[in-house]
Amino acid sequence: MSTAAARLGPQPVATARPAARSAVFQIPRNALALLMMAQLAVILPHMGQLPFWIVGVGLFCGFWRTQIFRGRWEYPSATVKALMVLGSVVSVASMGRAALGLEGATSLLLLSFALKLVEMKTRRDAILVIFLCYFVIATQFLFDQALVIALYEMLALVLVTAALVGLNQVHATVQPMQSLRIAGSLIAQALPLTLVMFLFFPRVGPIGTLDLPGSSRTGISDRMKPGDVATLTRSDELAFRVAFKDRLPPADQLYFRGLVYPHFVAGEWRKGTRESGVAPDARDLGERSITYDVLLQPTASEWLFALNFGLPRSGKGYFTPYHTLEADSPVHTVLRYRIESFTDYRLDATGLPDAVRQESLAIDRDRNQRLQAQAQAWLTELGGDVDAFIARIAEYVRNEPYVYTLSPATLPELDSVDRFWFDTREGFCTHYAGATVLLLRAAGVPARMVGGYLGGAVNRITGHLEVRQYDAHAWVEYWLPQQGWLRFDPTAAVAPERIRSGLSAALSQEDRAQLSLFAAARFGGEGLVGTVLQWADSLEHRWNLFVVGFDASQQKGVLARLLGEVTPQRIVIGMLAGGGMCLALVSLVLFWRIRQPARPPLEAAFDALTQAAARVGVVRQADESPAAFLRRLAVVEEGGWESYGGTVEGLQQHFYDPTAEHDGAVLLRELRRWRLRLLLRRR
């Protein structure tokens, strides 16, 4: 045996086992190739959330296995394997806090999978690697549950199963395409039962409760500098989708409130303290409301977004003292929650808690003194009329040469608001909202900045609202006795198009040039690219709505429609009935596939003729050709068989000379006519 052949796998000793059993301990080459392709397929998606060196180790081990397969490298020795295992454990431990969470566990799984691939020699080793492949596919859904990922992992599942099928084909001529077809058939047969289990099996807690310390936060932050939102709006990344139950509110009412920033420290606005709040009295909410579902994308943060004033109807959020909603834990997967928002709300109308009043009036008297002086002058001039004071701010911003831009001038950390308000006069929504809050506080009016999203684009296919990062916005809330917290958006004065028509209408050509290609296509909304993006988002929305967001409450509603009263007994009966129907369907398909193939029409007609002839005493002999039988039948059945000669010749050519040309329709008609005559004669 050559050295190259020996490296492909352990060879049997001639005196140890019979040659017939030696193949059992070898991995078929095509199966090994499929397995290495499967290894590459299941590792690649993890490049986005795990350290690159882990994926690199997996790819290197795959390359090592390829070299062994080609007979150029040796299997690792026991010492090398021990060092590789020790190095992997130490490397994962060096990840710090992430090593104790999901990232660390997934990293160890990937490393063990890659190392096992290198030392794989027997079919038992290969089967273990295949099972590890299945686990690696499952771990990807802990990080990302998008429709594209699901489709990709389905293909990876077919590839892994094909490797398992090929592994059980011990003969020398394994066909990869045949293995792939068998794997696809097996997975297709499992899909109906998967759907039954998806509908009936009790929903477990959300995967998002797992800690992902290494994942980055996306979207609006708990700290906001004047230029932060401007930077965020350059991204077309999806923030959340909204499916309204009835009507869609007007565009200028789509203020999705998320965070409240009452503290201004060192030139940045900071989120209020995270404490439990109490829902307002129902009498303060009014009677008009709208209900909708929000499908929030992963943010690695707790805050939720809702229109004013939003009450959670799905039990997935709690109130803060700032009348915002937060989740119980950071959102690491798509989170679906239902909100009922009241449009006539009056929050804290009867009075403002002392702690909230103090922080909503806090201002550093030693900083931004020019702005404070202007506020005092306006307040004196207007006789303390707060409504007139608000109108003066809007009028001032509208008439002075302020510019709404994504690229404002850089501001110093100290006295940044003075610098913007009186000197640069270039800014984004946070610049104008922050300056307005300090003007109101300097005038003795409790005020705070609010961060969230404004507007969104309606998907023409499904009708849901898409809210993206470029819809991020900041505005002002101020408090008045007997009226409570009121919203004021100074951006409406400097760029009213932003409020009425969205960000695209308010940007200059220079600002639009800074946007990504997809953002520009989404703003246009028309054309081939825009249409494709709309269709892709509609599919993703349905996937999130009916699969990813299918939680216990949605499951209960579906089961109530299917079973009536939802009880454990009915759920078990439903699972058994659904499973039985799935097994019956698979059995029917399998029996249909092994059925006898349909015979050609001429052969079937000739057999029917022989059966009819047998009933009148003319039985075809076992060694009798079709032509000889027809000639004998013509002799026995005298009269009316004058045309049998052409039929005999044509039938003979059909059975024994495929290259000959003959009219099959005429032959078929003649055979059927002869059979009918025999049947009538019998009667």
Side-chain angles (χ1 to χ4, degrees), residues 497-532:
E497 306 86 8
R498 169 67 180 96
I499 312 301
R500 294 193 301 264
S501 305
L503 178 65
S504 176
L507 296 181
S508 63
Q509 292 298 327
E510 292 77 11
D511 287 337
R512 292 177 67 91
Q514 301 179 35
L515 301 175
S516 66
L517 175 63
F518 286 122
R522 295 183 194 280
F523 281 154
E526 304 295 338
L528 179 61
V529 177
T531 302
V532 170

Side-chain angles (χ1 to χ4, degrees), residues 43 75 181 191 298 306 421 445 483 660:
I43 285 181
Y75 285 102
R181 286 194 296 268
L191 288 179
W421 191 254
V445 180
Q483 297 186 54

Side-chain angles (χ1 to χ4, degrees), residues 59-273:
L59 297 178
F60 174 74
C61 290
F63 174 74
W64 191 336
R65 181 67 217 194
T66 303
Q67 293 298 90
I68 296 174
F69 176 76
R70 299 174 64 188
R72 297 186 177 183
W73 289 13
E74 299 287 347
Y75 285 102
S77 63
T79 303
V80 173
K81 288 191 291 185
L83 291 176
M84 294 174 71
V85 172
L86 180 62
S88 299
V89 174
V90 172
S91 299
V92 172
S94 65
M95 294 170 58
R97 183 166 170 246
L100 302 177
L102 184 60
E103 282 184 334
T106 306
S107 300
L108 283 177
L109 178 63
L110 279 174
L111 290 172
S112 62
F113 164 61
L115 297 181
K116 187 63 181 177
L117 185 69
V118 172
E119 72 159 2
M120 180 179 61
K121 296 181 180 180
T122 65
R123 288 180 59 215
R124 177 184 177 278
D125 295 334
I127 291 176
L128 179 59
V129 171
I130 288 174
F131 287 164
L132 287 174
C133 279
Y134 288 128
F135 276 105
V136 173
I137 290 175
T139 58
Q140 176 60 35
F141 291 104
L142 299 178
F143 296 92
D144 193 349
Q145 300 176 14
L147 177 59
V148 174
I149 292 296
L151 295 176
Y152 177 87
E153 295 297 353
M154 181 62 71
L155 295 177
L157 185 65
V158 173
L159 195 58
V160 174
T161 307
L164 181 60
V165 171
L167 194 63
N168 288 276
Q169 294 174 333
V170 296
H171 51 81
T173 58
V174 177
Q175 299 180 359
M177 293 306 299
Q178 182 182 5
S179 298
L180 289 170
R181 286 194 296 268
I182 295 175
S185 175
L186 291 174
I187 293 175
Q189 294 172 29
L191 288 179
L193 185 59
T194 302
L195 178 60
V196 172
M197 298 300 292
F198 178 79
L199 292 176
F200 286 93
F201 199 81
R203 311 301 293 178
V204 297
I207 297 298
T209 57
L210 294 174
D211 186 21
L212 297 176
S215 58
S216 59
R217 293 178 180 267
T218 60
I220 294 178
S221 174
D222 55 353
R223 296 190 178 191
M224 186 181 295
K225 292 183 179 180
D228 287 350
V229 173
T231 303
L232 191 62
T233 54
R234 294 184 176 91
S235 170
D236 71 327
E237 182 182 359
L238 183 70
F240 53 88
R241 298 182 177 91
V242 187
F244 288 91
K245 186 177 180 181
D246 297 315
R247 57 185 176 85
L248 180 71
D252 58 356
Q253 297 299 316
L254 293 175
Y255 283 85
F256 292 94
R257 197 166 177 268
L259 293 89
V260 171
Y261 302 91
H263 309 296
F264 186 66
V265 180
E268 70 175 8
W269 292 92
R270 299 181 180 178
K271 175 180 174 290
T273 57

Side-chain angles (χ1 to χ4, degrees), residues 404-473:
Y404 185 78
T405 177
L406 291 178
S407 303
T410 303
L411 300 175
E413 182 177 300
L414 301 178
D415 297 325
S416 58
V417 182
D418 267 0
R419 177 71 172 163
F420 156 71
W421 191 254
F422 294 103
D423 301 329
T424 64
R425 296 192 173 188
E426 296 178 350
F428 204 60
C429 56
T430 46
H431 295 77
Y432 297 97
T436 301
V437 170
L438 294 186
L439 282 168
L440 289 168
R441 290 185 178 184
V445 180
R448 58 199 186 188
M449 189 166 71
V450 181
Y453 296 87
L454 170 61
V458 178
N459 188 285
R460 298 188 300 270
I461 301 170
T462 58
H464 71 275
L465 187 71
E466 305 170 17
V467 181
R468 300 188 175 274
Q469 297 300 344
Y470 54 63
D471 294 312
H473 193 57

